[in-house]
Amino acid sequence: MSWRLWVPLLLFSAFLGLAAYQLTQPKDEFVESRMIGKELPYFALPPAMEGSLGAANADFKDGKPRLLNIWASWCVPCIAEAPHLDALKRQGVEIVGIAIRDRPEDVARFLAQHGNPYSRIGRDDLSEVQLAIGSSGVPETFVIDGKGVIRYQHIGDVRAENVPMLLKKLREAGQ
């Protein structure tokens, strides 16, 4: 029996070992923005619904830190974070929203059902602003300092345990 007969079995065993190793490694499913520490790119979005104000990068350059929340009415985790965004608003935090690939009537319905923590809501029909700031999904929340620089990115829905941390990040962004 030649040793060459064992080569396919050894290769297959190596493949199984590599596959087993990869399957047991923790999965990193979040993509952090490369825009952290950089100024917001130019954008000027129309209002997401009638009666609201649109959103622009110029809104973030008045010296006051704010949150920029990327969300959508069709996003289930956005429902879960709505009361926590409202808690931030009640504590004096200004939140600018960008509604991703959404219809005005759906935005209005979502806000009527779950509350409206936003001072402004821009409509990003093609996710152009979302991609430009390095957001890879909804919901995501960014801390923007008073000069329009992205200081922090929170990936996923804002939960009760995240509220103190976001308040701290906003205070740091205001210094």
Side-chain angles (χ1 to χ4, degrees):
M1 182 185 268
S2 169
W3 63 272
R4 292 182 187 176
L5 294 173
W6 292 97
V7 171
L9 182 59
L10 288 173
L11 289 174
F12 184 69
S13 296
F15 170 77
L16 285 179
L18 181 64
Y21 173 76
Q22 290 294 327
L23 290 172
T24 60
Q25 297 305 302
K27 190 168 120 184
D28 185 14
E29 54 192 48
F30 297 114
V31 179
E32 289 187 20
S33 173
R34 293 182 182 186
M35 292 295 292
I36 295 172
K38 297 180 181 171
E39 192 170 323
L40 284 169
Y42 172 81
F43 65 90
L45 297 173
M49 64 178 195
E50 191 173 313
S52 74
L53 299 171
N57 65 315
D59 300 331
F60 295 88
K61 295 183 177 181
D62 65 354
K64 180 182 171 189
R66 298 178 170 79
L67 294 181
L68 175 62
N69 180 248
I70 308 296
W71 69 286
S73 68
W74 43 263
C75 158
V76 175
C78 296
I79 296 171
E81 82 170 353
H84 309 299
L85 292 178
D86 192 51
L88 286 161
K89 178 185 176 185
R90 286 192 312 265
Q91 294 188 51
V93 174
E94 184 175 346
I95 306 170
V96 175
I98 294 182
I100 303 299
R101 293 174 273 132
D102 226 326
R103 298 183 316 182
E105 60 270 22
D106 293 333
V107 168
R109 187 178 319 109
F110 181 95
L111 296 176
Q113 288 177 336
H114 306 290
N116 183 356
Y118 304 108
S119 61
R120 304 171 159 269
I121 308 171
R123 193 171 102 201
D124 190 5
D125 292 337
L126 301 175
S127 299
E128 292 173 309
V129 174
Q130 180 189 25
L131 295 174
I133 63 173
S135 169
S136 59
V138 289
E140 284 189 21
T141 303
F142 294 85
V143 174
I144 313 296
D145 73 12
K147 295 177 183 173
V149 175
I150 300 170
R151 294 298 176 190
Y152 177 75
Q153 175 189 25
H154 177 82
I155 299 173
D157 55 310
V158 173
R159 298 179 182 182
E161 62 267 23
N162 305 130
V163 170
M165 179 270 304
L166 286 171
L167 290 170
K168 180 181 175 218
K169 295 288 184 184
L170 281 164
R171 280 192 303 274
E172 291 171 358
Q175 297 173 354

